[in-house]
Amino acid sequence: MSDEEPTARALQGRRAGIASRAIAAAVDLLVVVVIGYLLMAVAGAVRGLFSGRLDVLVPPAGARGALAALLLIAYLALGWGLNGRTVGKVVLGLRAVGHDGEDLSPARGLARAILYVVFPIGFAWILVSRRNASLQDLVLDTAVVYDWGYGTSSAAGPHPPAGARLRR
Amino acid sequence: MADARDQTIPPAVLEAGRWMDEALTSSLARVLDALREPSGEGAPKPARRPHRDPAATARRAVGAPARAAADTLTAVVAELIPRALDRIDLDAVLSRIDVNALVARVDIDRLLDSMDPNRLLERVDVDELVRRVDAAALAREAMEGIDMGEVIRESTSTLGSDTVEAGRVQAMVADEAVARVVDRVLRRRRRRETALSRPGAPR
């Protein structure tokens, strides 16, 4: 264990600052790009079964942006909706939660994902926010906290069905 | 023997006592007879030696019969004791003894002090002892006391994740540093409120 481990433990559950979140976001983008290329490769392979040509299926220019955006939204919504984590957040030990630390509902996860893709600049608000909140956090009453998986975080335990969760 | 005591002593013992009394008296009489008549079994009296030393003479005179008497007495007593034991009802005697009181009189601490624990241990068959211990039940009990989840988490987390941890901590430090810079630029006095709000509290 590193020497800073006690400090890290003390910070669990506190809102994370812009550096951690930015790095997590960068990792997420990288992952999405990789997934995108994988999907294109798979699609190309499937088409190759029929056409006899094996190449990566690149979507036409116009559709490319929209597909990328959809992919990003799906990726983020899936991560945040399930247990508040995406790959980037897992690496950085962060978790997206509601304002009391409860899990995000899939609906809120989806809304958050859409808002980020549509209005990414809102992320920069973390820099000046007193509560380390992005604009999206303020709108949706969410937060991103340090959560390395110690103790009884809901990432470790079973999830109740989304509909049964109460909004506090 | 006093009559009052006759009531507490069992008749068997009384009878044995009387018999011994009788036997001893008759034996003693025999011994005294032997003493009065110096026998020829003892040390021979050299007839030719002149009686110069009266003390030696006296010793010689008494020595032989005394030895004879002692031998006789020993033989008598040796014969008496088994016969006496045969006549005494030992069970009756023992049943009158309060064994618990006897044991209470034993100083157990001194007894224990005199024992050597190491030698005691040598007598213990450790293998048998180990076999008797239910290791599975013990292990189960021990496991219940240990938070296995935490142990597993701690052990697996050290598998190559020290780098990740170090990186995370670096990110935390960077968060703090950036926040401080920005706050100073904006001339904020209070530090950022990074704890999550409590339920019901105003944002």
Side-chain angles (χ1 to χ4, degrees):
Chain A
M1 292 276 177
S2 61
D3 288 333
E4 297 97 327
E5 206 251 324
T7 326
R9 276 190 182 269
L11 286 177
Q12 298 297 303
R14 298 197 152 247
R15 294 182 224 250
I18 194 167
S20 311
R21 291 176 69 170
I23 300 173
V27 172
D28 281 330
L29 287 176
L30 193 62
V31 168
V32 167
V33 165
V34 169
I35 293 177
Y37 270 107
L38 280 177
L39 285 177
M40 288 193 279
V42 167
V46 169
R47 196 184 63 167
L49 285 176
F50 298 103
S51 73
R53 272 181 344 177
L54 187 63
D55 55 6
V56 172
L57 175 61
V58 178
R64 215 174 299 167
L67 283 176
L70 277 178
L71 182 61
L72 190 53
I73 291 172
Y75 169 84
L76 292 174
L78 198 66
W80 291 335
L82 279 183
N83 66 348
R85 295 190 197 262
T86 60
V87 174
K89 287 201 172 20
V90 167
V91 170
L92 267 295
L94 304 175
R95 195 157 74 95
V97 294
H99 78 273
D100 286 333
E102 81 274 15
D103 280 353
L104 296 179
S105 64
R108 237 186 336 171
L110 182 62
R112 203 162 181 263
I114 294 174
L115 284 181
Y116 267 117
V117 170
V118 163
F119 198 61
I121 198 70
F123 189 83
W125 189 250
I126 303 173
L127 208 55
V128 296
S129 161
R130 266 235 159 73
R131 279 194 300 273
N132 283 344
S134 63
L135 286 181
Q136 287 83 351
D137 284 333
L138 293 178
V139 167
L140 290 170
D141 197 11
T142 59
V144 173
V145 295
Y146 300 116
D147 187 346
W148 290 18
Y150 297 139
T152 55
S153 69
S154 45
H159 294 282
R165 205 169 312 152
L166 294 174
R167 289 284 306 256
R168 282 186 237 169
Chain B
M1 261 185 257
D3 281 337
R5 291 221 308 259
D6 283 353
Q7 290 161 1
T8 52
I9 301 176
V13 178
L14 272 182
E15 214 221 304
R18 279 189 212 114
W19 182 84
M20 279 179 64
D21 199 26
E22 227 177 81
L24 272 172
T25 313
S26 62
S27 308
L28 208 52
R30 288 217 307 262
V31 166
L32 286 174
D33 287 341
L35 269 178
R36 276 188 226 113
E37 299 162 356
S39 57
E41 341 170 338
K45 277 190 294 189
R48 283 177 298 172
R49 191 181 290 189
H51 299 299
R52 279 191 226 133
D53 185 1
T57 315
R59 267 203 302 276
R60 274 199 297 274
V62 179
R67 272 197 295 281
D71 288 340
T72 312
L73 197 55
T74 309
V76 163
V77 171
E79 210 186 291
L80 272 178
I81 291 180
R83 288 205 199 175
L85 282 176
D86 283 340
R87 289 173 160 248
I88 295 178
D89 182 6
L90 280 175
D91 276 334
V93 173
L94 284 175
S95 66
R96 293 172 60 85
I97 299 177
D98 182 4
V99 184
N100 289 330
L102 262 182
V103 170
R105 293 171 111 188
V106 171
D107 185 355
I108 303 227
D109 282 329
R110 270 191 32 202
L111 194 66
L112 286 175
D113 282 340
S114 66
M115 285 204 291
D116 180 6
N118 289 330
R119 294 231 350 241
L120 263 181
L121 278 176
E122 281 168 27
R123 290 166 172 246
V124 172
D125 184 358
V126 182
D127 289 327
E128 174 71 24
L129 194 67
V130 167
R131 255 194 315 115
R132 285 171 173 229
V133 170
D134 186 359
L138 263 183
R140 223 173 296 126
E141 269 193 59
M143 294 277 289
E144 281 164 19
I146 301 174
D147 180 6
M148 281 309 290
E150 182 64 31
V151 171
I152 291 174
R153 205 176 298 123
E154 295 224 5
S155 59
T156 53
S157 74
T158 53
L159 294 173
S161 67
D162 280 350
T163 336
V164 173
E165 269 199 23
R168 286 178 181 176
V169 172
Q170 288 298 315
M172 285 175 165
V173 169
D175 284 343
E176 187 68 18
V178 168
R180 265 207 302 263
V181 164
V182 170
D183 285 345
R184 197 168 324 145
V185 163
L186 295 176
R187 307 239 185 105
R188 281 181 183 156
R189 304 238 174 255
R190 289 170 298 152
R191 299 194 53 189
R192 300 198 175 194
E193 175 59 56
T194 51
L196 289 176
S197 57
R198 284 185 302 278
R203 281 202 297 131

